Amino acid sequence: MFGEIITDRVDELAVGRMRILRATRNTGRVAVNGMQRAIDNFHELFGQPRYDVLLGVANISEVSECMSRWGFLRELNNRMSEESDALSGSLVTYVDIKNFKAPNDRYGQSVGDLLLTITGWGLREIFRDPDQPNQEAMVGRWGGDEFISIQPAGAKMNQALFGGSLEFFDLDGKSGEATWHFDRYVEYLHRQDLHHDSEIYDAIKHVDNLGIDHLTYKFTFDAMDLSQYDEASEAIDIFAATNTIKATHLRQPTS
């Protein structure tokens, strides 16, 4: 009986500590935001860029147009503090381009950057829930040819947009591979008379003309309760460790 009382008390203390930490973090954000607004007023007075402009640059990876690693962690931290309950059922997906070095070395960095741009667009669209088309998917470029996404576990994938040009295979448990056939996608856009309206058509047509008619992606995914973590970096570390991901950019070095 006494042991049960002690256990209940420990649980109450843990919950109380969590609430205090979150309240303190929110209070700190309000104070910092107020100070930042004052600084922005001075910046505008002297013709310097505002903080939100600089922050936008830092948040977005210029090449892929996805969130940068820093921007991704910052956005996830915000969501974890403001809507933690909504993150209790989340699907975390890690994606990297298979054999990316070959076209990057053969055609140069500019073509490599173009492939990253195409990949970033494709991931944002495949993870955009077709039931909520106006809601941007949470996709970040983690580093190099590595990307990461978080979405509700029950969200649908927007496969119809790709007109059968995506092929999934070797799916085993929580991992697999997917090939995006650029030549098939170009044909699909022409058949549907959508090539004039596609944002990414010119880029895909260009690499297809070079002979890069597909890219294959390795992916790992897992359903997680992100509401139990205090920090985004901790959640990503746990995801990487429990799914034995070998990506050096994703896993933190162990001491």
Side-chain angles (χ1 to χ4, degrees):
M1 180 67 178
F2 183 72
E4 292 178 359
I5 294 174
I6 293 295
T7 300
D8 291 342
R9 182 58 178 160
V10 169
D11 290 342
E12 290 174 4
L13 288 172
V15 171
R17 175 179 172 272
M18 185 75 69
R19 288 174 178 168
I20 290 171
L21 285 173
R22 286 177 176 166
T24 303
R25 195 159 60 229
N26 289 337
T27 302
R29 284 198 181 99
V30 171
V32 170
N33 287 340
M35 293 172 63
Q36 191 59 61
R37 281 194 294 271
I39 293 172
D40 279 343
N41 290 334
F42 282 106
H43 280 190
E44 286 187 330
L45 182 64
F46 292 102
Q48 296 177 352
R50 290 173 54 88
Y51 172 75
D52 56 354
V53 174
L54 297 175
L55 188 60
V57 173
N59 278 341
I60 303 297
S61 168
E62 184 178 357
V63 172
S64 66
E65 297 184 2
C66 294
M67 282 183 276
S68 65
R69 186 196 317 195
W70 185 86
F72 185 89
L73 290 174
R74 181 176 182 276
E75 174 64 19
L76 183 54
N77 270 326
N78 288 340
R79 295 191 184 191
M80 289 169 71
S81 63
E82 295 171 2
E83 47 186 87
S84 59
D85 291 342
L87 294 173
S88 59
S90 296
L91 185 68
V92 183
T93 306
Y94 163 76
V95 178
D96 72 313
I97 305 174
K98 192 174 181 180
N99 300 323
F100 175 71
K101 189 175 184 299
N104 192 58
D105 288 349
R106 179 175 180 182
Y107 298 102
Q109 186 176 347
S110 60
V111 172
D113 287 350
L114 200 56
L115 292 173
L116 292 173
T117 300
I118 292 169
T119 296
W121 180 88
L123 291 176
R124 291 196 306 278
E125 291 306 318
I126 191 68
F127 289 126
R128 188 192 300 271
D129 190 338
D131 292 339
Q132 302 182 56
N134 295 323
Q135 184 171 322
E136 186 74 19
M138 188 175 175
V139 180
R141 181 186 174 205
W142 198 257
D145 60 352
E146 299 165 358
F147 294 79
I148 193 165
S149 169
I150 293 178
Q151 60 184 151
K156 300 175 184 177
M157 295 182 73
N158 198 11
Q159 276 184 262
L161 179 74
F162 294 82
S165 62
L166 274 174
E167 180 183 10
F168 292 87
F169 54 97
D170 290 341
L171 182 61
D172 181 18
K174 297 178 180 180
S175 63
E177 294 187 357
T179 295
W180 186 6
H181 298 274
F182 298 147
D183 49 349
R184 294 186 199 171
Y185 188 59
V186 168
E187 291 174 3
Y188 164 74
L189 291 178
H190 276 280
R191 285 199 309 271
Q192 301 296 321
D193 197 28
L194 296 172
H195 55 291
H196 299 295
D197 300 324
S198 173
E199 296 179 5
I200 207 70
Y201 171 79
D202 289 340
I204 291 179
K205 182 67 175 177
H206 177 68
V207 298
D208 188 36
N209 287 338
L210 289 176
I212 308 172
D213 60 1
H214 72 279
L215 278 183
T216 297
Y217 304 92
K218 296 184 291 184
F219 60 91
T220 302
F221 59 91
D222 198 6
M224 296 182 68
D225 179 5
L226 297 181
S227 65
Q228 63 180 310
Y229 301 103
D230 287 331
E231 296 292 335
S233 57
E234 178 189 6
I236 300 303
D237 287 347
I238 295 297
F239 169 75
T242 56
N243 290 286
T244 62
I245 293 173
K246 298 179 181 179
T248 55
H249 292 294
L250 191 65
R251 299 195 67 173
Q252 297 293 325
T254 55
S255 55

